[in-house]
Amino acid sequence: MKAIVVHQCGGPEQLHYQEATTPVAGPGQARVKISHAGVNFIDIYFRMGLYKADLPMIVGMEASGIVESVGEGVTEVAVGDRVAYAGPRGSYAEYAVVPAWQLVKVPAGVSDSLAAAAMLQGMTAHYLTHSTFPLQQGHTCLVHAAAGGAGQCIVQMAKRRGARIIATVGTPAKAELAREAGADEVILYDEVDFAAETRRLTEGKGVDVVYDSVGASTFLKSLDSLRPRGMMVTFGNASGPVPAVEPLLLNAKGSLFLTRPTLAHHIATREELLWRAGDVLSWIANGDLKLSIHHTYPLSDARQAQEDLAARKTTGKLLLAV
Ligand code: NDP
């Protein structure tokens, strides 16, 4: 099969479109013939070596497709099922072998491309807004990179839960997208001090929660944007990883809560996976959640897709058509 393989961690030039061995489903596993693979920032962290994996590796952690074969003991899916998943690595490829319990059947009314686009960023937005800090009416949240793939999903789900949303973005065009997704206020954080502006927009109080996927460049000012006893959710490193933090800093900034969550721990059981994926896919099917696909690249252009994502050139979701 064709796949995108990394033999050595480094820049985008380390993504090689080449022949690879077609995997075989073992007990409890299913082989998926991939239709679309999602491109996510985490794929860049693995390629760079910021997140560790054994080499060589096939990149990519999200896809949709058809179950082509199943191993012994599989009960969750059957050959011919249209499925999607997020988590197991190896999706930038024609085939992937995935633990069957991690596959979700895609409902009629959700296309293969939307299913691939929904799983990782959609379920991330779901756990952030429903579990990490369950938003309610009366809450105000600050969402960074709000026109991005994860960002647009967070804004829509925060809106659905009745929260007031202050969003940050890099350009005026992205500000428009954040507003369309439901942001009440939008700050151009490359031009304006977002902590001062957030204080102004909240009459000096600060927000209840910050969802911060940008990392190094926003972390400290995100703390300054919170109300006393507010929650700092640092869930990504788009500008680089956040350096070590002294617990006393959280005291000085207002008895803050700090968490660094990841999706895997929020879809660790089949029950929780089906809850989150079920919500996300049904909201897409009934039009309550809108995913904007920035661009669909051929599998062979995975390098270009990652370069565009890392260069802040994109909004919404990037896909690879396999
Ligand atoms: P995005 O589509 O959000 O792209 C990243 C965006 O981050 C850019 O478009 C840009 O928006 C902003 N950004 C700010 N500074 C930089 C920088 N120096 N370099 C690159 N981008 C920058 O990507 P994803 O939706 O795939 O992921 C968003 C983030 O969420 C990532 O950090 C990812 O790791 C994290 N994530 C975490 C998960 C978890 O469970 N912990 C799961 C899923 C995603 P702008 O121009 O508006 O600033």
Side-chain angles (χ1 to χ4, degrees), residues 209-274:
V209 56
V210 182
Y211 297 114
D212 187 338
S213 65
V214 174
S217 68
T218 47
F219 181 79
L220 287 176
K221 284 200 170 169
S222 291
L223 297 184
D224 289 333
S225 306
L226 282 161
R227 67 159 164 81
R229 294 158 58 188
M231 183 180 286
M232 172 65 183
V233 184
T234 168
F235 72 100
N237 330 285
S239 68
V242 175
V245 178
E246 292 283 348
L248 270 178
L249 184 67
L250 304 175
N251 163 331
K253 302 260 182 207
S255 300
L256 302 178
F257 294 86
L258 170 63
T259 185
R260 202 326 180 171
T262 195
L263 175 62
H265 300 136
H266 296 80
I267 49 170
T269 64
R270 181 124 183 106
E271 189 187 11
E272 200 167 6
L273 169 69
L274 292 181

Side-chain angles (χ1 to χ4, degrees), residues 32-36 62-67 76-78 80-86 100 102-120 123 270 273-274 276-286 291:
V32 179
K33 184 174 190 328
I34 294 178
S35 160
H36 289 78
E62 177 182 47
S64 64
I66 301 282
V67 175
E76 297 86 350
V77 292
D81 282 347
R82 207 160 65 92
V83 294
Y85 69 90
Q102 291 183 279
L103 292 171
V104 172
K105 291 184 198 173
V106 178
V110 178
S111 65
D112 288 353
S113 52
L114 286 180
M119 297 301 286
L120 201 148
M123 290 196 292
R270 181 124 183 106
L273 169 69
L274 292 181
R276 298 196 197 282
D279 276 358
V280 169
L281 292 171
S282 67
W283 294 337
I284 293 171
N286 68 22
L291 301 185

Side-chain angles (χ1 to χ4, degrees), residues 196-207:
E197 185 62 3
T198 299
R199 289 259 160 227
R200 190 187 70 76
L201 291 167
T202 55
E203 284 85 42
K205 290 195 203 85
V207 295

Side-chain angles (χ1 to χ4, degrees), residues 39-42 45 51 120-121 124-125 127-128 144-151 154 168-171 174 189-190 212-215 217-218 234-240 260-264 266 308-318:
V39 178
N40 292 286
F41 229 95
I42 193 167
Y45 306 145
Y51 292 179
L120 201 148
Q121 294 165 348
T124 296
Y127 84 71
L128 291 171
H144 289 312
I154 296 168
T168 64
V169 294
T171 66
K174 290 184 178 185
Y189 56 178
D190 290 340
D212 187 338
S213 65
V214 174
S217 68
T218 47
T234 168
F235 72 100
N237 330 285
S239 68
R260 202 326 180 171
T262 195
L263 175 62
H266 296 80
D308 291 350
L309 183 60
R312 301 174 72 174
K313 285 183 186 163
T314 69
T315 58
K317 186 74 194 179
L318 282 66

